[in-house]
Structures are given as C-alpha cells and as structure tokens.
Amino acid sequence: MATPREHIEQIRREKFSIGREENPLVEDLHHAVKHLSAEIYTKDVHFLMELIQNAEDNDYAAEVEPSVEFVITNRDITGVGAPASLLVFNNEKGFTSKNTESVCSVGRSTKKGKRQGGDYIGEKGIGFKSLFSASGHPYIFSNGYQIRFNEIPSPVTKIGYIVPEWVDDKPSLQDILNVYGGRSVQDLPNTVIILPLRHEKVEAVKEQLANVRPEMILFLSKIKRFSIREENQKRINLISVSKETAFQSNKNEESESFILHLSAQENEECSYYMWRQRFPVKKENRVEGRDEVDNWVITLALPQDQRVTTTRNKINAGIYAFFPTEMVTGLPLIIQADFMLVSSRESIRWDNKWNQGILECIPAAFCSAFAFLVQSVESAPQSSRSYCYDKYLPIHPLSYPQLESVRQAIQIRLKTEKIILCEGQSNTYCTPSRARRILPAFREILQKSANHPNALCFNGVLVIHPCMDILQSFLGSALLCFVEEHWMESDFFFNLLSFPLLKYHNDSCPHAVDWTNIFHVVSSQHGIYFSQSMNDAEWPIRWNKELGGTTRYKFIPKAIQTAISHLRDNQRTSLLQWLSRNAKTTEISLSSFIEKVIEDVYVSESKEFVVRVAQFLHFSAANN
C-alpha cells in the first residue's frame, strides 16, 4: 500500500501529468476550475458553515465525542505572508485515500447518496473549494497527509485550486502543536485544516466566528462540542450539547423525542425538548436536486428556559436548514428541516413546492410533539404541565403570511388532540371540546361527595384539572384588554368600578389568591405590583408570603403577568398604561422590592420579621 506521500505523487503524476508529457485536457480543466473560482468569489458560500458541515459528515470512532475547535491566530504559521491564520481541529477518524482524491477533483464527492435519510447537510457540491473565498492557500494535515493547495497555478502544475502539493517545511506539526496546546504531536486531533487568511477577510472571519449561533449544534447529529478561541487566550465561544435523554421512539409514526442540554460560554444553559419526525415526500412536491430523498425529516426544538444566544447576537433564528437562517418567526419554537434557501441563506424560498410540502407537515409534527409532551411527564408535578400551555402554544399572529397559515392550522388541529388534563382518574386527557372548568367552591363540594371522582365526569364532559387554571390567566388578560378598550363608555365605567377584575396574591385567603375591584384599590393606600422582569416574577411573590407582615404588597400572579407579556406590543403597552392610571398598578424591580422590605425593617417591632428579612437577603444573593 502506498504511503500518503507516494499517493500524492501518484495523483500529481497520473491525474495532472506533472513530470510527464503534458495532457491536452489540462487547459480545459484549468478553465473549468477558474470558472468555479469565479462562482466562489461572487457568491456568499459561508465557508465556516462548510467547515462545520464537513465535520458533521465525517466518521468518528465509537469512543470519541465528536468535536470541532476553531483557533484564530494573529500571525502566519505557514510562511505565505498572511496577516492571520485560522486553524480547524477535528477529532474524526481522518482522511482516507478517497477523501484525498475527492478534494483534488471537481464535482466529485465521497458523500453522495447520504441524503436518503434526510439528514445530510451538504448540497452545493463545491465543498472544500469554498475555503478559497477566505484563503489562497488551504492546508490539510490528516492521517499522515500533509498537503496544501494554491489558487495560482505554478509553471509546473498549470492548474490552480485542485493540485495537491506536499508540505515539507512550514508549518510543521510542532508549529501546529504550539497553536493547539499539548505536550506532544500525539495530542493533536486527526484532522487539522489551516487557512492563512486573506488581508481583506481577517475581520470578516473574526466577526463570523463571534456570531456563530449556539443553537446550531442542536440540529447536528454527530458534533457534540464546538469551540472558538484566539491563540493563547480563553475561548470566545464554547458550545456543547450533553445529557441526551431518550423519551420515545415510535416506529409507526417514525418519530422520536428527547431532551438536549445546550451550554454556551461558561454560564448560559438551556434545555430543549426535541421532537423529530419523518414524513413521506409527496409526489407533487418533488423538485430537481432532491430526487433521491423519500422522506422529509422535521425537527422541532422547544426551549424550556431562556434561549441561549451569543454575546453579540441576541436575536435567535426561528427556522434552520441545518444552519440558521435570518428568519425571526415569532413562534415559541425552532423549526429545522431540509428547506431550500435563497442564495444568501437568509430565508427559505416561499414559492418553492418542496418547502411548501414541508410547511404543510409542520402542524402535524407540532401537535404530535405537544400532545406527547403534556402527557409524558408522569414523574413531574401536575402543576408543571400547565407550563407547556403557557410556553409553547402559538397564540399570537405572525408577520410571515405563510407561517401564519401554519399557526392557524396548528390551532385547528389541536382541537382534535387529547391535550387537556382532566381531574378524576390518573392522567386522563381529553380534547378541548369535552373539557369544562369549574369554580373552586363547587370543586370542593364535588370532592367531598361520596361519588368522587366519578362526580367529575358526566354526560361525556370532563372537568379540567385545577393545575390547568393557568389557561384562565389568558382569559383574564383578554378581559382586562376588553375593559380597557371600553373604559370610557359611561355606563360601562360605573358598572365596572365595583366588579372584581383584579387578581392578586393574598396570603390570608384560603386559596392564596383573591380578587379586588378598582374602587377598593383606588380608595386604599396601597396598590398592586407586577414585576419588571418575568425572570424575577416568582421571587418576590414567594418571599412576600415567607416574610409575613408585609401585607401591603399585593402582587399580580405570575401566570397573569405572563399572559400580559404575551400580548402584542401595542396592546400590552396600552393595557399597562390603563392599569397604572386607573387601578394603581405599579411595575417594580426586584431591587426596588428589596429596598422596600429593608425600609420595613426600620419600622417593624417584630424580631421574627427582621430574621426573615435577613434570610430573604441571604437567599437572594445566593441565587444571584
């Protein structure tokens, strides 16, 4: 078997006629490659994504956690006179002879046929050639191969871009190790790509590296760790996916669900409920370029916490085609599918029948995911299930008309799904049309009856579990909006003054919440508070109860605060202004609440209250 160096010499001799009689087709091949280079320079090929894509499509040993690391230097380690170098380290198995022959060719790939499963990323067919958009001299060190390519043909090669040159001097493996860090060259990953950057590309490359979206890694099936750093400095960006927990695998529906924990930097984390489902490609949606694909694979990511962003890019994409588009959808979830994109990759092609077929499948995927999610958390408290309704139901209209039709189709389809948790038998669910809510007082009567829990099911109608009362918060916010709109109508005004419109936490009330009317609030000395930040809403409510004695602080329940925050911007602003003006509601920050509590310490005669305040301050600091 030939050594890597002997293999390269064979390619140069037999394919490119170097050292032999000149091949008359060399000139034609040169013009073909030159045409390709012109295409590379005029199109935005997103070469960084190409590098990540190649890493995703590589093969890895079973004991390896697939990872990619980008290291950028402010010096040239190759000796070609570049102002900076970008090194890409990948712990794949390494280049084979076929891989090497592929990068020395035009239009030939070792990845063909991998699209059948619907998971393969690449499609442009230019692959490694896209790196010439950032570098005139890409280098590859892998499995004993030490080669580089030159965009400018030499008098010997007469062809640029695809003729491999063996690297004898710079960079050496020791030069690469000095950038990577480690004690010996055995510590280096199997594959290293080195790009001495063009002068005009250095800042653009740094900008792209700083803005890599962490959520991109959610939709890569192999890569579990991705990092970016400058030489001899801490990481700019560290992204990893861990603790993957399988929930379900349904062969009939060809679906699966699992939890992914995404971490970025050193202090940002978010768990995502992932749903992946296959749908057969319809005959009427087939297009050229996707002839060999028989299934659409749609993945939905539902964030359980605050979504992870980069420091410099706080706006998250809503649609991915393996890599992020620039589309901010307004949906409470992320959609990933094999969409066909416009050339800039900024958005999907709305008029494309392939994409239209995918969009038609999204309502079915979402409803299956949502129904399974609310029914699958048997070990979790029932009260936590209401979180799914608050967080994930697409309630508000969307700016994209094509996605608005998807949202409406989801709403129609959900009416036929068993997604409402009912009281009575354990984990009973029904469709929304069969569910009814009863008032707490009547619920107590039924619960005391001898026929309980059968008393909670009659004539085919099921009673909503009390933990689902968060749905009433959305009704409550809608009622407040209605009142605000009609407030200036005189008859309406006087009738509503004494109507119990405002809900607040009241620790002296058996159910911990109570209702009050606008007349009582206006005539009293104390108003009702809601939090400036939804992230802090639960904390003052919880501690207001623990502190005791601070009964003047009445907080709107977090569920209603959440419902108000989900209103459209103009509607929310108008409602909050009306509440402040007519109902004495006050927006309060956590720090302001703490200041008020400390003020109470100075006038309180209760030692117990002072101790509780000390505990409150301690735990507030401990929880950052």
Side-chain angles (χ1 to χ4, degrees):
M1 180 180 292
T3 65
R5 184 160 190 166
E6 291 171 344
H7 184 214
I8 294 300
E9 291 301 325
Q10 179 186 357
I11 292 174
R12 289 170 60 86
R13 181 177 61 255
E14 297 182 0
K15 184 169 186 175
F16 299 109
S17 301
I18 298 174
R20 301 171 58 184
E21 182 179 351
E22 184 173 322
N23 189 327
L25 296 178
V26 165
E27 186 176 354
D28 291 339
L29 182 58
H30 173 69
H31 286 298
V33 178
K34 186 176 181 180
H35 177 74
L36 172 62
S37 71
E39 181 179 351
I40 290 173
Y41 286 125
T42 56
K43 288 188 177 181
D44 181 5
V45 296
H46 293 258
F47 82 95
L48 289 177
M49 293 184 181
E50 195 76 39
L51 287 167
I52 300 170
Q53 167 191 308
N54 288 338
E56 170 68 8
D57 295 327
N58 287 336
D59 294 323
Y60 296 84
E63 70 277 7
V64 166
E65 180 184 65
S67 65
V68 184
E69 182 169 6
F70 284 65
V71 181
I72 191 163
T73 74
N74 290 319
R75 60 192 180 94
D76 175 25
I77 70 168
T78 65
V80 299
S85 303
L86 177 65
L87 289 83
V88 185
F89 299 93
N90 182 208
N91 60 351
E92 61 144 334
K93 288 182 177 179
F95 267 54
T96 64
S97 58
K98 288 185 178 180
N99 297 144
T100 306
E101 291 168 6
S102 176
V103 297
C104 299
S105 304
V106 180
R108 184 184 299 176
S109 173
T110 57
K111 302 173 186 175
K112 288 182 179 179
K114 292 186 179 182
R115 291 193 64 96
Q116 182 61 36
D119 296 323
Y120 171 57
I121 298 174
E123 68 169 312
K124 293 188 179 298
I126 57 176
F128 183 78
K129 315 303 184 296
S130 69
L131 305 187
F132 285 100
S133 66
S135 175
H137 308 274
Y139 289 70
I140 298 175
F141 284 68
S142 181
N143 265 2
Y145 286 95
Q146 299 180 190
I147 57 176
R148 78 166 185 172
F149 298 85
N150 196 329
E151 64 177 344
I152 301 175
S154 71
V156 175
T157 62
K158 298 184 180 182
I159 301 175
Y161 300 98
I162 59 175
V163 179
E165 301 174 9
W166 191 262
V167 178
D168 271 320
D169 44 10
K170 290 185 69 68
S172 66
L173 291 176
Q174 186 60 47
D175 293 330
I176 298 172
L177 182 66
N178 292 340
V179 175
Y180 181 72
R183 289 175 292 184
S184 69
V185 293
Q186 282 71 35
D187 295 332
L188 289 172
N190 286 342
T191 297
V192 182
I193 295 176
I194 307 170
L195 304 178
L197 297 174
R198 302 178 189 275
H199 285 78
E200 70 275 14
K201 292 291 185 178
V202 174
E203 292 305 316
V205 169
K206 289 182 177 180
E207 183 74 15
Q208 286 192 52
L209 288 172
N211 284 296
V212 169
R213 299 178 190 265
E215 290 176 333
M216 168 196 70
I217 202 172
L218 292 173
F219 306 110
L220 302 179
S221 60
K222 295 180 182 177
I223 301 299
K224 300 301 179 186
R225 184 180 175 88
F226 179 84
S227 65
I228 302 168
R229 64 180 172 90
E230 295 184 21
E231 183 182 11
N232 300 324
Q233 295 186 20
K234 66 179 182 180
R235 291 178 174 86
I236 302 172
N237 205 342
L238 173 61
I239 306 166
S240 65
V241 167
S242 61
K243 300 177 184 176
E244 182 172 329
T245 305
F247 266 12
Q248 175 208 45
S249 180
N250 190 323
K251 294 183 179 180
N252 294 329
E253 295 183 6
E254 293 198 353
S255 63
E256 60 177 336
S257 60
F258 47 93
I259 297 291
L260 289 183
H261 301 278
L262 174 64
S263 63
Q265 308 297 346
E266 296 179 354
N267 55 2
E268 287 193 57
E269 275 193 29
C270 180
S271 296
Y272 295 76
Y273 168 70
M274 310 291 292
W275 179 271
R276 183 179 295 145
Q277 189 167 352
R278 295 175 181 269
F279 296 87
V281 175
K282 300 176 183 177
K283 183 178 180 180
E284 61 268 25
N285 294 113
R286 289 193 173 276
V287 295
E288 185 179 356
R290 297 291 194 276
D291 308 84
E292 74 278 25
V293 183
D294 293 328
N295 292 288
W296 289 306
V297 179
I298 296 176
T299 305
L300 305 179
L302 284 68
Q304 298 183 353
D305 311 294
Q306 189 73 23
R307 289 176 63 181
V308 174
T309 61
T310 60
T311 303
R312 303 176 68 179
N313 193 338
K314 292 296 184 183
I315 299 178
N316 277 308
I319 289 184
Y320 278 63
F322 299 99
F323 297 110
T325 66
E326 297 301 317
M327 300 177 64
V328 180
T329 63
L331 288 167
L333 68 153
I334 311 166
I335 301 170
Q336 146 65 32
D338 186 20
F339 288 108
M340 301 188 79
L341 306 179
V342 299
S343 59
S344 65
R345 287 193 61 93
E346 292 180 355
S347 66
I348 69 174
R349 293 163 54 186
W350 296 112
D351 59 346
N352 181 275
K353 59 183 182 180
W354 175 269
N355 291 344
Q356 291 168 357
I358 295 175
L359 292 173
E360 290 172 0
C361 295
I362 289 174
F366 175 83
C367 292
S368 297
F370 187 81
F372 180 76
L373 179 61
V374 297
Q375 295 180 27
S376 65
V377 284
E378 295 184 6
S379 60
Q382 291 176 323
S383 58
S384 67
R385 304 184 191 189
S386 60
Y387 172 87
C388 301
Y389 298 85
D390 176 29
K391 184 80 171 176
Y392 301 131
L393 289 181
I395 297 172
H396 306 293
L398 306 176
S399 56
Y400 293 99
Q402 299 86 346
L403 290 179
E404 175 60 16
S405 63
V406 171
R407 186 187 72 87
Q408 293 176 1
I410 288 174
Q411 290 186 335
I412 293 172
R413 196 179 185 101
L414 279 176
K415 293 178 181 179
T416 65
E417 296 283 347
K418 293 183 178 181
I419 58 172
I420 304 297
L421 178 64
C422 301
E423 193 164 6
Q425 298 178 354
S426 176
N427 294 315
T428 299
Y429 291 84
C430 71
T431 59
S433 61
R434 292 185 60 197
R436 296 294 185 272
R437 178 179 180 268
I438 59 176
L439 296 175
F442 183 44
R443 184 187 303 277
E444 290 182 9
I445 295 174
L446 291 178
Q447 289 175 339
K448 293 177 181 178
S449 70
N451 199 29
H452 180 77
N454 294 331
L456 296 174
C457 179
F458 47 91
N459 295 330
V461 174
L462 298 175
V463 174
I464 297 175
H465 193 280
C467 77
M468 303 293 290
D469 282 352
I470 190 171
L471 297 177
Q472 289 301 111
S473 299
F474 289 100
L475 296 177
S477 67
L479 176 61
L480 288 175
C481 290
F482 177 80
V483 171
E484 181 263 326
E485 290 174 6
H486 297 275
W487 185 247
M488 297 309 296
E489 299 173 15
S490 57
D491 292 342
F492 191 81
F493 174 84
F494 288 109
N495 288 335
L496 265 292
L497 277 177
S498 58
F499 189 84
L501 281 173
L502 304 174
K503 195 175 185 180
Y504 69 96
H505 276 273
N506 181 357
D507 298 322
S508 63
C509 174
H511 301 290
V513 293
D514 204 355
W515 296 84
T516 187
N517 56 58
I518 292 177
F519 179 81
H520 182 269
V521 172
V522 172
S523 60
S524 69
Q525 296 181 352
H526 309 297
I528 298 179
Y529 293 95
F530 60 92
S531 298
Q532 280 184 345
S533 169
M534 287 307 303
N535 293 333
D536 299 333
E538 194 69 42
W539 196 252
I541 292 173
R542 169 186 165 186
W543 277 98
N544 197 40
K545 177 180 179 181
E546 296 289 339
L547 290 170
T550 57
T551 53
R552 63 172 177 161
Y553 302 117
K554 296 179 173 65
F555 281 94
I556 295 176
K558 182 182 178 182
I560 293 182
Q561 295 188 48
T562 301
I564 292 175
S565 72
H566 287 168
L567 296 172
R568 292 191 298 271
D569 288 346
N570 59 337
Q571 194 176 29
R572 180 174 64 253
T573 300
S574 178
L575 176 59
L576 292 179
Q577 289 175 348
W578 176 83
L579 286 169
S580 175
R581 184 172 59 251
N582 297 287
K584 290 182 65 176
T585 59
T586 303
E587 194 175 36
I588 188 172
S589 67
L590 185 55
S591 59
S592 296
F593 174 68
I594 291 174
E595 290 173 3
K596 289 180 177 294
V597 171
I598 293 174
E599 290 174 4
D600 289 340
V601 171
Y602 290 102
V603 298
S604 175
E605 296 180 357
S606 169
K607 294 180 180 179
E608 182 182 1
F609 174 64
V610 175
V611 172
R612 288 179 178 177
V613 171
Q615 292 176 321
F616 169 52
L617 296 176
H618 166 74
F619 285 109
S620 294
N623 286 274
N624 202 25

